[in-house]
Amino acid sequence: MQLWTNVIRVSSYGLTKHHSTATYHGKVLVGLRRFHGSGQVTTAHIHTSEQRPKLVQFRHELRDAKRIVVKLGSAVITREDECGLALGRLASIVEQVSELQSQGRQMLMVTSGAVAYGKQKLRQEIVMSMSMRQTLASRENGMGAILDSRACAAAGQSGLMSLYEAMFLQYGQRIAQVLVTKPDFQNDESRRNLKATLTELLKLNIIPILNANDAVAPPPEADTDLVGVISIKDNDSLAARLAQEVNADLLVLMSDVNGLYTCPPGTEGSRLLYTYTPDTDDVDVVYGKKSRVGLGGMDSKVKAATWALEHGTSVVICNGLEEGSIRKIVQGKKIGTLFTDTRTVGTPVELQAMKARESCYALQRLTFDQRADIINKLANSLIEKQPEIIAANKRDLEAARMAGLSGPLLSRLVLNQSKLQNLAGGLRQIAATTHQHVGRILRRTKLADGMELRQITVPIGVLLVIFESRPDCLPQVAALAISSGNGLLLKGGKEASHSNKLLHELVQDALEMYAPREAVELVSRREDIQDLLQLDELLDLVIPRGSKELVQKIQQESKGIPVLGHSEGICHVYIDEDVDPGMAVKIVRDSKCDYPAACNAMETLLLHRKHLHSELFHSICDMLKAEHVKIHAGPRLLSHLKFGPAPTSSMRTEYGGLECAIEVVDGIDDCIDHIHKYGSAHTDVIVTNNSQTAEHFLNSVDSACVFHNASTRFADGYRFGLGAEVGISTTRIHARGPVGIEGLLTTKWILHGSGNSVTDFGDGDNKKKYLHETLPVD
């Protein structure tokens, strides 16, 4: 005779039979046994088809994590006085866990806090039972009762879970408490039952909250478990074992520091490790003291994280005091330390930035001629290595076509003999003017007798330049940085990876003449950009070159680092009523068709209403049609046409290809209003024979570049005589338009004195007087 025990589950839905687990007021009863007539007991084995989750290599992969274990350290949820819970922080964590659960993820929590909650409760009981004399004496002596932690845990468990239940109910989430001890993991039967319980709770969309049963737990002891099995000595190790048992995709260990440091935070030279690969990272980690509460410290967390990683769970150690940290981790943002089994290829970006900072000082110590020699060697290399460069570029083009890259991006990707010749010429122009920029005196002032003040130009520091599909940007920007004495980090698009790698090698080979190779570094991964944007102490300026979306994303994610760039290139050409028709057609053709993918290409043609239905209007339309330009009609033009091109979806469109919009305006002021309303303050052109109208346009249009009777395509650093450009800025601080070397410089003040002090100056007879005399600049 065989009997199966029935396990009862009581819930708000009524009393029901259940085959393996039971919950009563949120508490879980674990057990599934078969009783034989002889009294023998055997365990029913539970088989699952779950497979080990795939370990993440990059943070953005954390967005796909489905089953997540969150461990709350004592230091995170306990008040500073260690008596009670930090309810504000706890509420924030509950909100984040509930939000992720609502997204369809399966959340589990390992929590501390029962001892702190019970300590608060028991101290209140002790105070209530004390006489007035005893109460006053304890206050005067500053002494409180020393409470046994097990008693505190026993008294605090029910209150802690009631608090969790009330908080989670605010978000419509159900919870269940699971109390475990070390023997539960040592016993195969108990461990299988625990796993079955947790699996069933997750299926029911209930959030399991686990805690070591501190009311009966023995004191911590040495690790005597089998090799390869982590001891349950604290909630860190408990969370690691739990993550392994339930095949979790992600384990989040929350502490009161930002993650794993090379040495205790606050120590000189301490550096936060954003990514850590155990056993392979060449980093010596020194652990500090444990937090004021809890059994574990950072050493415990690292051991737990390493064990969980070895058993198939990705781990992040983060600061639980930071607002929204769990949410940010799952969004793939750079929070805490990510443990990974994939060794990072190349140098970590933090070290790249540090080396660029150190190398830029060496670069600044070079003479003008030495920096010019480096740039000239790079220019010569572009010519000497043409076959290799074009072959690498061909590989990029083939891969881009297979990936379906759009026409405008493909055209930007191309490197050919003509482009390389122009590049080399631009670099030589930069080398020839290197002596004109750094150290130039802008102002001289004689403050007083024996005191001269000078304002001179100096490098900004370390630049981060991000560009898309433009491998020719790399040598241009590198030459500008070398000429101006700036360190440089470059991040090109993956579509130009082969071209960028070879060009970067040529840059570093040229640098080796006089300076460290690390003065110009190439960032290899897209994920590194977000990391770099947090390094406001190492980077001084970010310059994104690319799409509107790229620039806006960089501006949003940059943490205190200035961003120089333009969001769009919506350039206008206005054909005035008094105009040379041949000139008008020529300028429109060049502005749109010379290089339609460029940010300085015309996107909107504005016509004076006088030209509507004129010969000039038809000539321009015929020319654009012959050049295969797709025309979009503005709303006012469309109202004058019975038949015509399709309407534009927006007058604020950067087409980036053989497309443009045409609109009619009533005159010069209407034209200026249109540009201010729909333009991007990049480049705008007037074509007119009327000098007064031209001056009105040039003085009134608020754009970085404003031209009269010239193509928009002249808005370029090389054509401006700057040698090259790092980009075109539409911002108003500190550079605008094509940014050459001048835009990569700032200033500093140098004061030559003769033993002066501020107390020497004043209104008395024996006091010196300020002269503030402007001196000529040599």
Side-chain angles (χ1 to χ4, degrees):
M1 178 180 177
Q2 295 182 353
L3 297 174
W4 286 95
T5 58
N6 289 326
V7 183
I8 306 302
R9 176 165 58 88
V10 181
S11 69
S12 57
Y13 303 103
L15 182 65
T16 59
K17 290 185 179 180
H18 196 272
H19 72 281
S20 62
T21 66
T23 61
Y24 184 72
H25 292 300
K27 295 182 175 57
V28 178
L29 309 176
V30 182
L32 178 58
R33 296 185 176 185
R34 176 180 297 174
F35 289 83
H36 299 267
S38 61
Q40 180 184 1
V41 181
T42 61
T43 303
H45 293 279
I46 300 169
H47 300 280
T48 65
S49 59
E50 293 178 285
Q51 296 181 348
R52 277 273 147 228
K54 180 182 177 182
L55 289 170
V56 303
Q57 298 182 20
F58 307 113
R59 286 182 181 267
H60 69 87
E61 296 174 328
L62 294 175
R63 301 169 190 166
D64 299 325
K66 299 299 182 186
R67 185 170 290 181
I68 303 172
V69 176
V70 178
K71 182 265 176 180
L72 312 182
S74 300
V76 174
I77 62 173
T78 303
R79 291 189 336 211
E80 292 294 328
D81 61 3
E82 304 175 22
C83 185
L85 303 179
L87 295 180
R89 289 199 293 269
L90 190 59
S92 174
I93 292 170
V94 167
E95 179 181 11
Q96 295 174 71
V97 171
S98 298
E99 178 183 313
L100 295 175
Q101 182 81 6
S102 298
Q103 293 173 1
R105 305 177 198 267
Q106 294 180 329
M107 305 298 297
L108 301 92
M109 291 175 59
V110 175
T111 181
S112 303
V115 173
Y117 200 95
K119 185 183 291 186
Q120 181 184 35
K121 185 176 179 180
L122 292 183
R123 279 186 177 174
Q124 291 172 350
E125 292 294 330
I126 291 173
V127 171
M128 293 294 293
S129 64
M130 293 170 66
S131 67
M132 181 67 72
R133 185 185 301 275
Q134 291 172 319
T135 302
L136 292 174
S138 65
R139 287 181 179 178
E140 290 173 0
N141 296 330
M143 298 173 59
I146 299 175
L147 301 172
D148 180 75
S149 61
R150 294 184 185 85
C152 292
Q157 282 291 351
S158 59
L160 178 65
M161 292 311 300
S162 296
L163 179 62
Y164 270 124
E165 188 168 26
M167 284 183 166
F168 275 105
L169 278 176
Q170 298 299 312
Y171 301 95
Q173 301 295 342
R174 297 281 179 177
I175 64 168
Q177 180 186 16
V178 182
L179 286 174
V180 296
T181 58
K182 182 175 180 178
D184 292 327
F185 287 91
Q186 294 173 327
N187 183 281
D188 291 340
E189 180 183 353
S190 296
R191 194 172 69 252
R192 283 192 294 268
N193 290 340
L194 172 63
K195 184 173 182 178
T197 296
L198 295 173
T199 301
E200 189 66 23
L201 289 173
L202 294 174
K203 287 180 181 178
L204 295 171
N205 201 33
I206 295 173
I207 300 174
I209 299 182
L210 288 87
N211 193 1
N213 192 353
D214 295 328
V216 298
E221 57 185 27
D223 189 344
T224 58
D225 288 332
L226 298 175
V227 174
V229 179
I230 191 170
S231 282
I232 305 300
K233 298 189 293 292
D234 50 48
N235 279 347
D236 295 318
S237 51
L238 170 59
R241 284 295 300 269
L242 172 65
Q244 184 259 342
E245 292 292 341
V246 300
N247 297 333
D249 300 300
L250 173 63
L251 168 61
V252 179
L253 297 175
M254 307 189 82
S255 180
D256 56 353
V257 294
N258 293 332
L260 178 62
Y261 286 79
T262 52
C263 50
T267 306
E268 184 177 356
S270 176
R271 180 169 61 87
L272 176 62
L273 301 174
Y274 290 101
T275 304
Y276 183 66
T277 304
D279 302 326
T280 60
D281 272 352
D282 299 325
V283 178
D284 293 326
V285 178
V286 180
Y287 302 108
K289 298 179 180 179
K290 294 194 296 184
S291 63
R292 68 187 191 283
V293 290
L295 296 175
M298 186 54 68
D299 184 23
S300 167
K301 290 174 177 56
V302 171
K303 288 180 179 178
T306 301
W307 189 89
L309 183 72
E310 291 172 351
H311 290 76
T313 299
S314 301
V315 186
V316 175
I317 298 178
C318 72
N319 191 339
L321 310 184
E322 181 176 341
E323 181 67 27
S325 54
I326 304 174
R327 186 185 299 114
K328 292 174 183 176
I329 288 170
V330 178
Q331 289 172 350
K333 295 185 178 180
K334 185 179 180 181
I335 299 294
T337 300
L338 171 66
F339 281 64
T340 175
D341 65 345
T342 303
R343 184 175 177 85
T344 303
V345 179
T347 308
V349 289
E350 296 88 352
L351 292 181
Q352 283 186 308
M354 292 172 64
K355 289 181 179 179
R357 170 71 70 187
E358 296 168 359
S359 300
C360 80
Y361 296 139
L363 200 59
Q364 292 167 19
R365 289 193 292 268
L366 301 181
T367 65
F368 297 131
D369 289 339
Q370 286 174 326
R371 290 203 293 270
D373 288 344
I374 293 173
I375 298 169
N376 280 322
K377 181 177 180 179
L378 176 58
N380 294 335
S381 298
L382 293 178
I383 304 303
E384 295 168 1
K385 299 289 185 178
Q386 274 191 34
E388 293 92 331
I389 296 171
I390 292 174
N393 185 247
K394 185 178 180 181
R395 293 175 64 188
D396 289 328
L397 288 169
E398 290 173 352
R401 291 189 184 98
M402 291 181 64
L405 203 67
S406 64
L409 290 177
L410 270 177
S411 61
R412 294 181 183 183
L413 183 58
V414 173
L415 284 178
N416 51 38
Q417 186 174 359
S418 175
K419 271 192 177 181
L420 291 173
Q421 290 284 352
N422 289 335
L423 267 176
L427 266 55
R428 294 190 180 100
Q429 191 176 28
I430 294 171
T433 60
T434 293
H435 65 284
Q436 300 176 2
H437 305 290
V438 179
R440 181 161 55 91
I441 300 174
L442 302 179
R443 181 184 304 176
R444 291 178 63 211
T445 303
K446 184 177 181 180
L447 298 185
D449 290 334
M451 298 187 71
E452 182 179 315
L453 179 68
R454 295 183 180 184
Q455 185 184 22
I456 67 168
T457 56
V458 294
I460 286 178
V462 179
L463 316 174
L464 169 61
V465 179
I466 306 162
F467 53 96
E468 293 178 331
S469 303
R470 291 284 301 274
D472 53 324
C473 286
L474 194 151
Q476 286 180 337
V477 175
L480 290 171
I482 294 167
S483 178
S484 58
N486 285 291
L488 178 63
L489 296 177
L490 290 158
K491 175 63 181 77
K494 64 179 181 180
E495 61 278 356
S497 59
H498 297 99
S499 306
N500 289 336
K501 182 180 178 181
L502 179 54
L503 291 171
H504 179 243
E505 289 174 358
L506 298 181
V507 171
Q508 292 198 317
D509 290 345
L511 278 166
E512 279 189 325
M513 294 178 67
Y514 303 110
R517 293 172 64 90
E518 293 82 7
V520 177
E521 287 277 24
L522 184 64
V523 179
S524 58
R525 301 184 307 169
R526 181 183 64 184
E527 292 78 12
D528 293 332
I529 296 299
Q530 188 178 23
D531 296 351
L532 285 167
L533 293 176
Q534 314 301 312
L535 304 179
D536 54 321
E537 294 182 357
L538 295 175
L539 299 182
D540 300 294
L541 182 66
V542 182
I543 306 175
R545 296 185 59 169
S547 64
K548 171 186 175 182
E549 291 74 22
L550 170 69
V551 176
Q552 289 181 340
K553 181 180 180 182
I554 298 302
Q555 290 172 334
Q556 292 167 3
E557 294 184 354
S558 176
K559 179 186 175 182
I561 308 173
V563 178
L564 182 71
H566 68 275
S567 58
E568 292 173 289
I570 303 174
C571 303
H572 297 79
V573 174
Y574 167 58
I575 308 299
D576 188 42
E577 58 180 329
D578 183 9
V579 69
D580 180 335
M583 179 189 294
V585 173
K586 178 183 178 182
I587 289 175
V588 171
R589 174 189 283 114
D590 189 74
S591 296
K592 179 72 259 184
C593 306
D594 174 66
Y595 191 6
C599 64
N600 59 8
M602 181 195 78
E603 303 295 2
T604 299
L605 172 64
L606 299 176
L607 287 170
H608 191 283
R609 63 177 180 174
K610 168 187 172 182
H611 299 302
L612 193 62
H613 304 303
S614 69
E615 186 63 32
L616 175 59
F617 176 71
H618 293 299
S619 297
I620 291 174
C621 290
D622 290 342
M623 178 274 296
L624 292 174
K625 183 178 179 181
E627 296 286 351
H628 308 289
V629 177
K630 182 178 180 180
I631 297 173
H632 302 272
R636 295 170 70 175
L637 173 61
L638 207 62
S639 67
H640 291 283
L641 301 175
K642 292 184 178 180
F643 301 99
T648 180
S649 58
S650 171
M651 294 304 302
R652 198 190 300 270
T653 301
E654 182 179 16
Y655 296 101
L658 287 172
E659 295 182 72
C660 73
I662 299 179
E663 183 59 302
V664 175
V665 293
D666 293 333
I668 182 65
D669 290 324
D670 191 21
C671 162
I672 293 169
D673 290 342
H674 179 100
I675 290 173
H676 287 165
K677 183 175 181 179
Y678 297 108
S680 61
H682 191 296
T683 301
D684 297 292
V685 169
I686 183 172
V687 185
T688 182
N689 292 330
N690 188 309
S691 59
Q692 288 185 328
T693 303
E695 284 302 312
H696 181 44
F697 182 90
L698 297 175
N699 293 329
S700 301
V701 172
D702 186 21
S703 294
C705 301
V706 189
F707 302 159
H708 173 211
N709 289 349
S711 167
T712 59
R713 292 280 292 124
F714 282 100
D716 175 81
Y718 176 74
R719 298 183 181 101
F720 276 17
L722 305 179
E725 65 185 31
V726 292
I728 294 182
S729 170
T730 57
T731 60
R732 287 161 170 76
I733 305 173
H734 66 291
R736 203 172 182 205
V739 180
I741 294 178
E742 292 290 340
L744 304 183
L745 301 175
T746 184
T747 64
K748 73 177 180 181
W749 298 91
I750 294 177
L751 177 61
H752 292 281
S754 54
N756 311 93
S757 65
V758 171
T759 55
D760 295 337
F761 295 83
D763 297 328
D765 294 336
N766 297 324
K767 295 290 186 177
K768 293 184 178 181
K769 306 296 180 183
Y770 289 108
L771 300 177
H772 293 153
E773 178 185 340
T774 301
L775 301 176
V777 176
D778 297 331

